[in-house]
Amino acid sequence: MRNLRLELCYDGTRYRGWQRLPGVENTIQGKLEKTLSRILEESIEVIGSGRTDAGTHALGQVANFHCINRMPSEEILRKLREFLPEDMGVYTCKEVSPRFHARLNAREKTYCYRLWNSEEPCVFQRRYVYGDSRPLNLEAMEQAAEHLVGTHDFSAFCGNKNQKKSTVRTIYRIEILPKGHELQFLFTGDGFLYHMVRILVGTLLEVGRGEREPETISALFGKRRELAGQTVPACGLCLMEVKY
Amino acid sequence: MRNLRLELCYDGTRYRGWQRLPGVENTIQGKLEKTLSRILEESIEVIGSGRTDAGTHALGQVANFHCINRMPSEEILRKLREFLPEDMGVYTCKEVSPRFHARLNAREKTYCYRLWNSEEPCVFQRRYVYGDSRPLNLEAMEQAAEHLVGTHDFSAFCGNKNQKKSTVRTIYRIEILPKGHELQFLFTGDGFLYHMVRILVGTLLEVGRGEREPETISALFGKRRELAGQTVPACGLCLMEVKY
């Protein structure tokens, strides 16, 4: 069995997220598997570095799949580009060691959350940002972000009520970058729980609006979901990079 | 009568162009007039700096309209932002001299045509570029562009077969800027004929592919439409700025 590694991007707007679902047409994984199965004339299962939510985008998603067909990887790449819809793109398709596993071997992930913090029009980026023009205290959000960095129990930042496995994760870095009318929140960590980035941003925005004090963030670790902030919309979120 | 000046942007993808057409819902002018008439409770006619084609975008369109209603311009701006669809945006709405006319007073316009010149995916900008990955000779296109600059009879670059008025226009500047996988063609002139920018780009691309010699460009002035290059798709075109 060959093992092939894909680097891909997608505009998540019209998809129900990464994960294939029975009877649901528009998932990223489902679309990839259907297209690859057609190209390679065998049943293909695609392993992603992780699941992205419905409506969430990716600039640097990584996936792998096994196949028997000996079609050169350049030809698979070319056919993928030909057959995938225009809101999905493949950067590379490369033969890798049989042991490579896109999810299990992922070491570090970076997500970006884009907030359009202005009443000015945002016509051309509207599908990729969340618009909220309320004024924000950047310094307070940066203080709060410092408390989030490190290894903590992020139970309060997990949107899955039935999460059985550990909710401990390590955040290596958080950057909050003002870019014109936009504010970009960059999170780098060893992995993120379901909805975790969106709840982190929602909580930081509450700090930014003065509804929560930066010092109170640490008190959320190991606590119930209800105590953290709101889940901001998926459209502002983008998976930027996965490191192995 | 008051005279108000608008600066606006729009994603032209789902519109039939600027100009209001009887029985056609989705035109930029039509949508603006309907929204303004509703806000101001009087019948509003909007004058644009010029018509953009179906599918063409604008980052810096300018328009004006007359009204009797004394609603403050800030309130009109706020309501426009509230009621216009998310693919149309208004930067400013300001009271101007009764003599200001967005079309007749326009002195200079700049258009940008964006070509995605690569087989690499272009997922997030796909609505705003024209994709053609064939290799191009930038130097040859720059030579051809030099011939186009100046005051010429652009009859061969006019898509309107029934054009009665003069086809003489002045192009002040043409810049061809490589930006990663993208090539941006910037045209600044005193005005542009119907489809003119798209035919200019189509002709430059033929030069870039070696199908036409740069020196042959000057021979097109005053000639028939058939002698110039193809009209490239509207989606790559954007009206960037209008100067008065």
Side-chain angles (χ1 to χ4, degrees):
Chain A
M1 282 289 254
R2 301 164 72 193
N3 189 13
L4 287 132
R5 178 192 205 259
L6 299 173
E7 285 184 356
L8 47 127
C9 60
Y10 42 85
D11 175 337
T13 309
R14 66 180 189 96
Y15 292 94
R16 294 274 298 271
W18 170 270
Q19 201 187 3
R20 178 196 343 113
L21 295 164
V24 174
E25 260 288 305
N26 50 343
T27 66
I28 305 289
Q29 188 190 23
K31 190 74 202 168
L32 271 174
E33 290 181 345
K34 203 172 160 184
T35 308
L36 281 167
S37 300
R38 182 178 151 200
I39 294 170
L40 298 166
E41 299 176 313
E42 63 186 287
S43 176
I44 300 293
E45 200 169 315
V46 175
I47 301 157
S49 76
R51 303 165 185 175
T52 48
D53 300 336
T56 290
H57 318 291
L59 264 174
Q61 175 66 289
V62 176
N64 74 297
F65 64 91
H66 297 273
C67 71
I68 298 163
N69 191 316
R70 300 191 159 275
M71 183 184 290
S73 56
E74 301 77 30
E75 198 178 333
I76 302 175
L77 175 64
R78 202 178 47 70
K79 293 201 168 177
L80 273 174
R81 287 179 175 176
E82 188 181 340
F83 296 129
L84 282 176
E86 57 172 15
D87 53 8
M88 290 177 67
V90 184
Y91 297 115
T92 58
C93 174
K94 282 183 183 153
E95 195 106 30
V96 286
S97 132
R99 293 201 314 272
F100 175 76
H101 189 287
R103 181 166 51 83
L104 298 178
N105 298 159
R107 216 167 34 78
E108 189 181 297
K109 282 184 193 169
T110 299
Y111 277 95
C112 179
Y113 196 88
R114 295 174 62 184
L115 176 79
W116 184 258
N117 191 220
S118 169
E119 305 216 348
E120 289 294 307
C122 176
V123 160
F124 297 91
Q125 297 296 315
R126 67 188 187 279
R127 286 188 178 80
Y128 314 120
V129 300
Y130 162 50
D132 188 328
S133 62
R134 286 175 284 182
L136 294 168
N137 180 337
L138 179 60
E139 211 178 309
M141 291 194 291
E142 280 171 339
Q143 280 172 33
E146 274 179 46
H147 291 285
L148 291 166
V149 171
T151 304
H152 307 290
D153 181 348
F154 287 97
S155 53
F157 302 89
C158 176
N160 180 1
K161 284 177 190 158
N162 304 311
Q163 174 89 9
K164 295 282 191 299
K165 293 186 198 163
S166 167
T167 46
V168 174
R169 294 290 184 277
T170 300
I171 296 183
Y172 302 125
R173 263 188 318 283
I174 302 179
E175 285 182 284
I176 310 178
L177 306 172
K179 302 216 168 175
H181 294 303
E182 196 177 319
L183 210 55
Q184 297 186 349
F185 296 79
L186 282 151
F187 296 85
T188 303
D190 63 351
F192 294 89
L193 300 160
Y194 184 66
H195 283 180
M196 178 167 156
V197 178
R198 292 163 61 187
I199 302 169
L200 287 169
V201 172
T203 308
L204 289 174
L205 290 180
E206 291 176 10
V207 171
R209 295 195 297 264
E211 299 161 12
R212 213 181 256 275
E213 291 302 313
E215 303 74 35
T216 64
I217 293 294
S218 309
L220 297 170
F221 299 135
K223 296 287 163 48
R224 300 191 328 273
R225 168 70 190 90
E226 291 73 33
L227 297 172
Q230 288 211 302
T231 310
V232 287
C235 61
L237 187 60
C238 186
L239 171 60
M240 302 299 281
E241 196 186 5
V242 187
K243 283 193 180 164
Y244 289 90
Chain B
M1 282 288 255
R2 302 165 70 195
N3 190 12
L4 288 131
R5 177 194 154 123
L6 298 173
E7 284 184 356
L8 45 127
C9 60
Y10 43 85
D11 175 337
T13 310
R14 67 182 188 96
Y15 293 94
R16 294 274 298 272
W18 171 270
Q19 200 188 3
R20 176 194 347 109
L21 296 165
V24 173
E25 260 288 304
N26 49 341
T27 67
I28 305 289
Q29 188 189 22
K31 190 73 204 171
L32 271 174
E33 290 182 344
K34 204 173 159 184
T35 309
L36 281 167
S37 301
R38 183 178 151 198
I39 293 170
L40 298 166
E41 298 175 316
E42 64 185 288
S43 177
I44 300 294
E45 201 168 313
V46 175
I47 301 157
S49 75
R51 303 166 185 174
T52 48
D53 300 336
T56 290
H57 318 291
L59 263 174
Q61 175 67 290
V62 176
N64 75 297
F65 64 92
H66 298 274
C67 69
I68 299 164
N69 190 316
R70 301 190 160 276
M71 184 184 289
S73 56
E74 302 76 28
E75 198 178 332
I76 302 176
L77 175 64
R78 202 178 47 70
K79 291 201 171 176
L80 273 173
R81 287 180 176 175
E82 187 180 341
F83 296 128
L84 283 175
E86 58 172 15
D87 51 9
M88 289 176 68
V90 184
Y91 298 115
T92 58
C93 173
K94 283 182 182 153
E95 195 107 27
V96 286
S97 134
R99 292 202 315 273
F100 175 76
H101 189 288
R103 181 166 50 83
L104 298 178
N105 299 157
R107 213 167 35 77
E108 187 182 299
K109 281 183 194 170
T110 298
Y111 277 94
C112 179
Y113 196 88
R114 295 174 62 183
L115 176 78
W116 184 257
N117 191 220
S118 169
E119 307 217 345
E120 289 293 307
C122 175
V123 160
F124 297 93
Q125 297 297 315
R126 67 188 186 278
R127 286 188 179 79
Y128 314 121
V129 300
Y130 162 51
D132 187 328
S133 62
R134 286 175 284 182
L136 295 166
N137 180 339
L138 179 60
E139 213 178 307
M141 292 193 291
E142 279 169 341
Q143 280 172 35
E146 274 178 46
H147 292 284
L148 291 166
V149 172
T151 305
H152 307 290
D153 180 349
F154 287 98
S155 53
F157 301 90
C158 176
N160 180 1
K161 282 177 192 159
N162 303 312
Q163 174 88 9
K164 296 279 191 301
K165 293 184 198 163
S166 167
T167 46
V168 174
R169 294 290 184 278
T170 302
I171 297 183
Y172 302 125
R173 260 187 321 283
I174 302 179
E175 285 182 283
I176 310 178
L177 307 171
K179 302 216 167 174
H181 295 303
E182 197 178 319
L183 210 54
Q184 297 186 349
F185 296 79
L186 282 151
F187 297 85
T188 303
D190 63 351
F192 294 90
L193 301 160
Y194 184 65
H195 283 180
M196 178 168 156
V197 179
R198 293 163 59 188
I199 301 169
L200 288 169
V201 173
T203 308
L204 289 174
L205 290 180
E206 290 175 10
V207 171
R209 294 194 297 264
E211 298 162 13
R212 211 182 257 276
E213 292 303 313
E215 302 75 36
T216 65
I217 293 294
S218 310
L220 297 170
F221 299 135
K223 295 288 163 48
R224 300 193 326 275
R225 167 69 190 92
E226 293 70 35
L227 297 172
Q230 289 213 300
T231 310
V232 288
C235 60
L237 187 60
C238 186
L239 171 59
M240 302 300 282
E241 196 185 4
V242 187
K243 282 193 181 163
Y244 289 90

